Amino acid sequence: MNTIPIIFNQKIAQYTAVGGKERIASTGISAVVLNRTGQHQRRSFFTDLEKTGFDNIISIESCAPHYDIEELSGRFPFVRFILPEKELNMGEQINLAACEIENPLFFVIRSDMKFIAGGTARRMAERLIITANEANETDVKAGFKRLCTVPVIMNASYEIMPTLATPMTQRKKMKSAFLEPHVEGELSLYPFDAVGIYDKTRFVQTGGFDITIKNSFWQLMDFGFRSHLWGEEIALSLQLKLSYNSELPSENATIDHDYKRFYLKNLAPVFRSDYAHLPFYCFPRFLARAGEDLASDWEEFKECRKWIVKNKFRWKMDARTVINRWEKQGE
């Protein structure tokens, strides 16, 4: 059984880093590039990121042989190419990049995307800094506004797409629906396709992505739900706009083993005043949903219960309260 990581970097994969010894600027924000298969315009892509003015760039590669890395690292000395020893799932890629990043903010972008609006990297970072007035009004500490800021996302025809994730229940199973962005600061359950600006400190404190969940959809659902349950915020910036050069990615919301882990970590826990726990009386309900082998389901239940015990005081609300956020937002 895959053990849920207790600390953020508990299971970082082995990798080789090439290049990236130079910094372009000192803005406080770096770019993290998740590469898709079939992306061939790498020079123009990195040139555009260079013009945007990110301090440096982390490019997560596949473990297949790469014949352009030496040329690209010479042309773009501010790009650090991460060559993992094995194929990494989406969460592993982002967690690994966060370990490499020295800046307080990092912008996760896909290699088949381009910036439409948002200004320079420095301007992006400045918009997320909590001002003295905001700190006084909201009684929050200085820093950045939220865990993750998501952009407006367009398709290849520059049409705004519904990418703000909202929770919904279908046949007693949790799913997600998507809304078009309209209002600054609208909540999203998770960053669509993992694209957005992350506060590194909050990201690490929240545990990053659960790399034992292999399906990227349930990885995102787990990350998003956990973030909201623990009092963090994932919200929209209308000033950030990106577009895909190709078709929008599809999501695989199949109810599988990864859903079971998501359910036990996020939906099943009971919140009591200032802590969460997973009572043993929840197991029969879980078993009815899981419908698999009794012994393996019991081990899964115990593993998630152990993880919840270690993090029980991180909870600020229960799953129903998280879901109600979107119901109130729609009023």
Side-chain angles (χ1 to χ4, degrees), residues 23-39:
R23 291 170 66 93
I24 302 176
S26 182
T27 65
I29 182 170
S30 293
V32 171
V33 180
L34 305 186
N35 288 279
R36 291 199 208 276
T37 303
Q39 174 69 18

Side-chain angles (χ1 to χ4, degrees), residues 111-182:
S111 59
D112 56 351
M113 302 183 84
K114 61 182 177 181
F115 285 96
I116 302 299
T120 63
R122 183 181 300 279
R123 188 72 186 102
M124 294 176 195
E126 290 173 347
R127 284 196 291 263
L128 294 177
I129 296 174
I130 297 175
T131 65
N133 289 337
E134 289 173 329
N136 292 332
E137 291 175 2
T138 58
D139 193 30
V140 295
K141 297 179 181 179
F144 299 102
K145 294 181 178 179
R146 58 183 68 96
L147 164 61
C148 184
T149 300
V150 298
V152 175
I153 295 180
M154 304 177 179
N155 62 18
S157 300
Y158 302 108
E159 299 167 323
I160 294 177
M161 304 303 295
T163 54
L164 293 183
T166 67
M168 63 173 288
T169 302
Q170 187 178 64
R171 297 179 181 178
K172 297 183 179 181
K173 297 291 194 300
M174 183 59 63
K175 299 275 189 175
S176 64
F178 297 97
L179 303 175
E180 286 191 20
H182 293 292

Side-chain angles (χ1 to χ4, degrees), residues 85-237:
E85 293 185 0
K86 66 180 184 68
E87 288 297 335
L88 307 180
N89 61 48
M90 180 203 69
E92 286 178 299
Q93 294 181 50
I94 298 175
N95 287 2
L96 192 159
C99 291
E100 286 280 326
I101 291 292
E102 298 178 358
N103 297 111
L105 296 172
F106 61 96
F107 200 145
V108 173
I109 182 174
R110 298 285 181 166
S111 59
D112 56 351
M113 302 183 84
K114 61 182 177 181
F115 285 96
I116 302 299
T120 63
R122 183 181 300 279
R123 188 72 186 102
M124 294 176 195
E126 290 173 347
R127 284 196 291 263
L128 294 177
I129 296 174
I130 297 175
T131 65
N133 289 337
E134 289 173 329
N136 292 332
E137 291 175 2
T138 58
D139 193 30
V140 295
K141 297 179 181 179
F144 299 102
K145 294 181 178 179
R146 58 183 68 96
L147 164 61
C148 184
T149 300
V150 298
V152 175
I153 295 180
M154 304 177 179
N155 62 18
S157 300
Y158 302 108
E159 299 167 323
I160 294 177
M161 304 303 295
T163 54
L164 293 183
T166 67
M168 63 173 288
T169 302
Q170 187 178 64
R171 297 179 181 178
K172 297 183 179 181
K173 297 291 194 300
M174 183 59 63
K175 299 275 189 175
S176 64
F178 297 97
L179 303 175
E180 286 191 20
H182 293 292
V183 180
E184 179 70 22
E186 280 184 287
L187 295 177
S188 186
L189 180 58
Y190 58 81
F192 181 83
D193 210 15
V195 174
I197 301 177
Y198 296 74
D199 179 325
K200 178 180 174 177
T201 298
R202 283 190 172 106
F203 180 79
V204 171
Q205 290 175 346
T206 309
F209 286 93
D210 184 346
I211 63 175
T212 67
I213 296 176
K214 308 302 181 183
N215 182 322
S216 60
F217 174 78
W218 295 117
Q219 253 188 354
L220 286 166
M221 286 283 282
D222 172 74
F223 171 75
F225 240 101
R226 175 170 16 104
S227 299
H228 290 286
L229 286 168
W230 291 8
E232 296 293 350
E233 183 179 271
I234 299 170
L236 170 72
S237 171

Side-chain angles (χ1 to χ4, degrees), residues 22-74:
E22 294 187 11
R23 291 170 66 93
I24 302 176
S26 182
T27 65
I29 182 170
S30 293
V32 171
V33 180
L34 305 186
N35 288 279
R36 291 199 208 276
T37 303
Q39 174 69 18
H40 300 296
Q41 300 178 357
R42 308 237 293 171
R43 290 195 200 91
S44 61
F45 177 76
F46 289 129
T47 298
D48 289 343
L49 293 183
E50 179 180 18
K51 292 177 181 177
T52 304
F54 290 103
D55 287 9
N56 51 20
I57 299 165
I58 304 294
S59 180
I60 308 295
E61 307 292 319
S62 69
C63 66
H66 295 85
Y67 303 103
D68 60 349
I69 296 298
E70 184 175 351
E71 176 196 350
L72 289 172
S73 62

